[in-house]
Amino acid sequence: MIASTTVPSSTTVPSRPASSRPAPDGPRGPYTPPYGPSARVAAPASLLDPGTERDPHPLYRTLRGDFPLVHDEPFGAWLISRYADVRAALADPRLAAPGPVAAHGEGGPPGAHRAAVSAALGDRVPASLRAGVERTAHVLASRLTGRQEADLVAEFCQWLPVAAAVTALGLPYEDTARVHAWCRTGLDHLGGHRPAIDAYLRPHLDRRRARPGDDLLSALCAARPGGRPLPDETVTGLAVTVLGAAGGTTARALASFLANLLDHPGQLDLIRDRPGLAGAAWAESLRRDPPLQIVPRRALEPIGPIPEGATVACLLGAAGRDPARFADPDRYDVFRADPGDLAYGVGPHHCLGALLARLTAEAGLRALLAVLPGLRRAPGPRPRAEGLVSRSPRTLPVCPR
């Protein structure tokens, strides 16, 4: 979702002798198209090789072109990089999420439990939730007025998604700073469910079970999958998933979204005049710069050369820029007709917070444009996106006026 990038020759991906990773023999599964020339050329670098984290896209191009399925021994996973294959793998019941992937809203809860969340955040947004998110976005944007320079990541992107999740769950607004601190210290990591937030949520669960409201926590407490209420442990686990996704995945996605628009002031001006383009701009940013570049899966049975129990890495960062699926894939274009929808998962692993994330992004952008009409990148070097599995700008210096 930005202008085409020319990769200098100095960033050529290092290679290993072809003999180090022979092409698999035997029957091929749905993620193993004929190897063609790749069976006779040097195998690609590993995701863990020096330079990959700084800029993974040269390696992604190599993988898509010659190694659509390859075992990355140092990384410990089979890599899938083409759009069609990644989309199929994310929805494949033979590939399971490896445990409670809270940052992506995956794993953990069975289908009936996920349905309880989807009922409140699936295809509608309560007016109270929308108003609360918009109000918070304006408060955060207003705090930047009159400043010579500010960091949108630290002062806006890391706060707004957490505040939106707090509002969605019906938690006290004054507790946002407390929840934000939990999110910043690892709530979005695997197994990030911690005793401190359990103890914080329990009294709120008791009150919702006695007097439910119209918030997500009430919906979870009132849910009766199979005719029985969800246990407290399940409700708190789902609430932690929502909070973790907000403080991790959505915060990173929001940072990339604003960076893409600030890097393309002409497209940002279009959205000033046509606010209805904000949703398309968000979807395009998720395609070009997904907050999660790599989503792991575990093979429940052999799939072609992939053995049972093996880890499969779905490379969303590579799939989103597949030239077989997207024209001029490195370019950021708010008018792209079909940017795809991989960033928040597909099928049974679709992230439950995707709608809340979009609401947060659109409300945040509207508030920034309304309160800070002269918002622009600060002069000086532009910080690059960082991270291999999770990737986004860690800072976003801007001039608010």
Side-chain angles (χ1 to χ4, degrees):
M1 306 178 183
I2 288 185
S4 300
T5 302
T6 301
V7 180
S9 59
S10 60
T11 61
T12 300
V13 178
S15 61
R16 295 190 181 87
S19 59
S20 67
R21 289 190 208 162
D25 296 323
R28 294 189 171 99
Y31 314 118
T32 56
Y35 269 66
S38 66
R40 300 185 295 275
V41 301
S46 168
L47 288 172
L48 298 182
D49 280 5
T52 300
E53 181 174 345
R54 183 177 183 275
D55 182 4
H57 294 288
L59 176 56
Y60 288 166
R61 283 190 282 271
T62 298
L63 293 172
R64 286 192 307 260
D66 293 317
F67 300 92
L69 177 72
V70 68
H71 187 248
D72 186 332
E73 293 180 10
F75 192 69
W78 290 82
L79 309 183
I80 298 178
S81 52
R82 292 178 177 171
Y83 181 91
D85 291 338
V86 168
R87 183 175 178 80
L90 290 174
D92 195 329
R94 298 171 299 174
L95 294 171
V101 188
H104 202 255
E106 297 183 349
H113 298 172
R114 294 174 60 85
V117 182
S118 181
L121 284 179
D123 57 4
R124 65 183 179 88
V125 177
S128 59
L129 171 56
R130 184 181 298 277
V133 175
E134 292 177 347
R135 182 169 57 251
T136 302
H138 275 81
V139 169
L140 291 172
S142 297
R143 291 177 180 175
L144 305 179
T145 56
R147 299 266 297 276
Q148 294 290 336
E149 189 169 314
D151 179 4
L152 279 187
V153 171
E155 301 180 66
F156 193 83
C157 299
Q158 291 179 357
W159 283 92
L160 181 58
V162 174
V166 165
T167 300
L169 289 165
L171 302 175
Y173 179 79
E174 57 269 22
D175 290 347
T176 300
R178 186 179 184 186
V179 176
H180 175 265
W182 280 323
C183 290
R184 297 306 303 158
T185 55
L187 189 62
D188 61 325
H189 292 174
L190 295 179
H193 196 181
R194 305 189 311 172
I197 197 167
D198 272 356
Y200 165 76
L201 288 171
R202 288 305 174 107
H204 294 288
L205 264 63
D206 293 341
R207 286 193 287 271
R208 294 311 195 286
R209 291 196 189 278
R211 294 183 298 277
D214 62 353
D215 53 76
L216 175 56
L217 200 57
S218 294
L220 294 174
C221 290
R224 297 290 190 276
R228 296 183 178 182
L230 297 175
D232 283 357
E233 293 76 11
T234 300
V235 174
T236 55
L238 290 168
V240 167
T241 295
V242 172
L243 293 170
T249 306
T250 303
R252 287 188 288 268
L254 182 58
S256 294
F257 176 50
L258 296 177
N260 276 328
L261 287 172
L262 289 167
D263 284 342
H264 296 78
Q267 299 196 46
L268 183 58
D269 287 341
L270 285 173
I271 297 176
R272 293 180 198 273
D273 297 333
R274 299 170 59 182
L277 289 173
W282 169 247
E284 172 71 345
S285 187
L286 292 176
R287 174 199 69 81
R288 185 183 185 274
D289 297 293
L292 285 180
Q293 297 274 304
I294 303 173
V295 172
R297 290 287 184 264
R298 179 174 55 85
L300 301 179
E301 62 183 73
I303 305 174
I306 303 173
E308 180 181 352
T311 298
V312 175
C314 300
L315 305 185
L316 270 62
R321 301 199 191 189
D322 187 348
R325 174 64 173 77
F326 304 105
D328 197 1
D330 291 331
R331 179 170 56 90
Y332 180 76
D333 182 5
V334 299
F335 291 107
R336 191 177 296 275
D338 181 12
D341 57 357
L342 297 184
Y344 278 87
V346 297
H349 299 293
H350 180 69
C351 179
L352 298 172
L355 183 63
L356 179 60
R358 173 172 171 163
L359 167 64
T360 301
E362 293 183 6
L365 179 60
R366 284 195 301 270
L368 289 171
L369 293 181
V371 177
L372 307 170
L375 184 68
R376 64 190 186 282
R377 282 271 201 177
R382 295 183 176 181
R384 300 173 60 93
E386 299 177 18
L388 181 64
V389 177
S390 300
R391 188 172 183 83
S392 65
R394 296 300 188 259
T395 63
L396 190 52
V398 295
C399 296
R401 60 178 185 178

